[in-house]
Amino acid sequence: MAKINPFKAVRPTKDKAGLVASRPYEDYTEGELKAQLQYNPFSFLHIINPGYKFQHEITGEKRFQLVKNRYLEFKEEEIFIKDPAPCYYFYKIVTRNDSFFGIIAAASLEDYENNIIKKHEDTIAFRENLFKDYLKVVGFNTEPVLLTYPDSAVIDELIEEAMNTRPEYEFTTHNKETHFLWTICEPKIVEQIKREFEKMPALYIADGHHRCSSSYILSKESKAENPMHSGEEPYNYFMSFLIAESKLKIYEFSRLVTDLNGWSKEEFLMQLDEQFRIENRGSQLYSPKSKNHFNMYLDGEFYSLFLRKTNYEFTDSLSTLDTYILYEKLLKPILGIQDLRNDLRISYIHGKNDLIEMKSEIDSGRFTVGFGMLPLTIEEIKKVADEGLIMPPKSTYIEPKLRSGLTIYEF
């Protein structure tokens, strides 16, 4: 039984929503970032990059405190307001090729602890604790964890009804995305939504494992420090964006490697031949067509690699994943890559960027060889999570990606 609650969001006034909302900080080029900070005083980037005010780069806890200061300034200037009553927030994004909609809400960290909210990705302790320290100082979170739930006709109908009314926000961004947000505070509808989620035995983290884990660590610390702890304090929850399983868009990551681990091209191909059936596809762009089928780009030519299943044993849901197979049969034993997160010899391109980018990176000499595969399915992700297993890093690139600053969760 999943506990998904409404909450009182802090959010921009209607006239400034499009100016405040920003992409993730790392998505901006240096030039874009400078332009936003110089010419848009309402951008949320001023909060997460507080050193700009002093023309000085600031790191560590000093930066965290300045982030909080900038945030408080936005509230004092009434750029941000706090809703007087708990609400759900229906959010829709229309891109050039897709449309996504879901619910922004507060999800229970007790559900995360009890595996009602299930994960499929491992986390790094350093990143968990760094973001936990950040949250503890600033006292708010603006990046929802992406959760997915089984399709619900009731929730779809409620969202559809809301979309026939005038949204609280509607704005279009420079990359031609249109964003809509509706506030849902009517008690009867709030109760319907809450009950629908209570019927669901499990939810799954699609994106945001580190954010979720950091919130969990902070909640445990806050509980220990609060002798009046009741279980309903805001620190017992985290902001989430809940989207139906059928509405997610899942892409793969291609793998690029800088060298052949000391093998000549011919030796490398012979090593591969023991594990895969290899076919040279020439210089034309080539994509895999089925599971356990990979493409490879090497020395100006594409190859297809078909797993030799007589040399491989499928033992659980993890062993069936193409990302795991590629690691176990090629990247680790042949190319010598043990640590997929930290080895500087490997890099990744998400599947929204097509084969042309892989070819370009290798033709430029920055990398020697590249590998691609089909994206995983939501069924594969759920099976891994249900079995308590962990997928290899960079197994999925999942959309939608939300803007920062539209709804803020305080604790």
Side-chain angles (χ1 to χ4, degrees):
M1 184 175 79
K3 190 174 183 180
I4 302 297
N5 285 351
F7 69 100
K8 299 177 183 179
V10 175
R11 53 189 182 83
T13 55
K14 186 181 296 189
D15 61 317
K16 296 183 178 66
L19 295 169
V20 169
S22 71
R23 306 197 309 271
Y25 185 81
E26 61 274 8
D27 280 6
Y28 289 88
T29 65
E30 187 176 343
E32 287 176 323
L33 188 61
K34 184 177 180 181
Q36 281 288 317
L37 292 169
Q38 187 169 350
Y39 298 113
N40 180 5
F42 302 109
S43 174
F44 193 75
L45 293 169
H46 283 284
I47 293 176
I48 57 178
N49 187 33
Y52 178 78
K53 182 175 182 178
F54 306 103
Q55 298 298 304
H56 184 69
E57 186 173 340
I58 302 167
T59 59
E61 193 163 328
K62 185 182 291 185
R63 174 179 170 269
F64 300 166
Q65 187 59 52
L66 287 175
V67 167
K68 183 176 182 178
N69 293 348
R70 294 292 85 71
Y71 173 66
L72 293 175
E73 286 173 10
F74 270 50
K75 291 182 72 176
E76 290 161 3
E77 294 169 4
E78 296 186 342
I79 298 168
F80 285 149
I81 56 171
K82 187 169 186 174
D83 283 319
C87 303
Y88 290 112
Y89 302 88
F90 291 176
Y91 186 27
K92 181 179 181 180
I93 308 171
V94 179
T95 70
R96 296 179 186 182
N97 302 312
D98 293 295
S99 177
F100 304 98
F101 57 83
I103 303 173
I104 298 174
S108 167
L109 284 162
E110 185 179 11
D111 285 351
Y112 176 76
E113 181 179 46
N114 294 332
N115 206 35
I116 293 170
I117 295 175
K118 299 188 177 189
K119 64 180 182 178
H120 62 260
E121 183 181 298
D122 215 349
T123 51
I124 300 171
F126 170 76
R127 288 181 60 192
E128 287 177 334
N129 286 302
L130 180 65
F131 192 59
K132 180 268 295 181
D133 292 342
Y134 169 83
L135 293 175
K136 190 169 187 175
V137 173
V138 303
F140 69 88
N141 190 13
T142 187
E143 295 185 27
V145 174
L146 185 62
L147 300 180
T148 187
Y149 61 87
D151 284 44
S152 163
V154 172
I155 292 177
D156 284 350
E157 185 177 341
L158 291 171
I159 293 175
E160 190 67 35
E161 288 176 3
M163 288 181 184
N164 290 326
T165 65
R166 186 177 182 84
E168 178 74 5
Y169 299 151
E170 178 180 354
F171 61 89
T172 301
T173 59
H174 294 298
N175 59 349
K176 298 183 178 179
E177 290 181 352
T178 304
H179 297 252
F180 306 84
L181 184 134
W182 292 263
T183 57
I184 308 300
C185 308
E186 184 183 333
K188 181 181 177 181
I189 300 176
V190 165
E191 192 59 31
Q192 276 185 283
I193 295 169
K194 189 182 293 188
R195 284 202 307 266
E196 279 305 302
F197 281 112
E198 287 175 353
K199 296 175 185 176
M200 298 177 186
L203 305 175
Y204 296 82
I205 300 175
D207 189 30
H209 284 78
H210 280 91
R211 277 169 274 149
C212 197
S213 180
S214 298
S215 296
Y216 175 63
I217 295 169
L218 178 59
S219 75
K220 289 198 297 182
E221 286 188 6
S222 300
K223 177 181 177 180
E225 294 168 1
N226 181 8
M228 305 298 291
H229 173 82
S230 69
E232 292 304 316
E233 295 86 354
Y235 60 70
N236 293 292
Y237 297 85
F238 63 97
M239 186 166 63
S240 58
F241 180 63
L242 296 113
I243 184 170
E245 292 172 2
S246 65
K247 306 299 190 297
L248 281 178
K249 193 81 172 181
I250 305 173
Y251 298 91
E252 76 284 7
F253 274 97
S254 296
R255 276 78 167 125
L256 303 179
V257 182
T258 57
D259 60 78
L260 298 182
N261 196 30
W263 304 106
S264 67
K265 176 184 173 181
E266 291 72 22
E267 290 170 334
F268 176 64
L269 291 174
M270 285 189 286
Q271 289 290 320
L272 289 186
D273 190 63
E274 294 183 16
Q275 309 296 342
F276 302 90
R277 191 177 82 249
I278 306 172
E279 295 179 15
N280 189 317
R281 301 289 180 167
S283 60
Q284 295 299 310
L285 298 177
Y286 178 78
S287 297
K289 304 297 188 293
S290 60
K291 288 281 297 174
N292 310 147
H293 173 201
F294 307 86
N295 67 341
M296 178 176 74
Y297 185 66
L298 171 67
D299 195 24
E301 294 179 310
F302 282 92
Y303 296 80
S304 60
L305 308 179
F306 295 88
L307 176 68
R308 295 189 186 279
K309 296 181 181 180
T310 53
N311 290 349
Y312 188 78
E313 184 179 0
F314 297 100
T315 56
D316 54 26
S317 59
L318 181 62
S319 68
T320 68
L321 300 185
D322 286 342
T323 51
Y324 183 83
I325 292 168
L326 189 69
Y327 174 65
E328 288 292 327
K329 304 301 285 184
L330 197 163
L331 296 175
K332 182 169 66 172
I334 299 175
L335 290 179
I337 294 173
Q338 304 291 327
D339 186 345
L340 291 172
R341 288 190 185 277
N342 300 308
D343 195 316
L344 298 179
R345 296 170 56 223
I346 189 168
S347 189
Y348 304 89
I349 300 174
H350 62 71
K352 283 198 74 176
N353 298 328
D354 57 22
L355 290 173
I356 294 175
E357 183 171 353
M358 179 201 284
K359 184 178 186 301
S360 174
E361 288 288 325
I362 293 169
D363 288 345
S364 72
R366 287 188 289 270
F367 297 91
T368 298
V369 63
F371 306 94
M373 67 207 82
L374 292 179
L376 301 184
T377 65
I378 186 63
E379 289 75 21
E380 289 177 306
I381 294 170
K382 288 173 63 177
K383 283 180 181 178
V384 169
D386 287 342
E387 293 178 23
L389 302 171
I390 299 298
M391 299 194 307
K394 300 293 185 182
S395 285
T396 57
Y397 178 87
I398 298 180
E399 288 191 329
K401 303 294 184 187
L402 275 61
R403 294 255 156 174
S404 295
L406 285 181
T407 58
I408 298 169
Y409 183 79
E410 291 186 329
F411 40 83

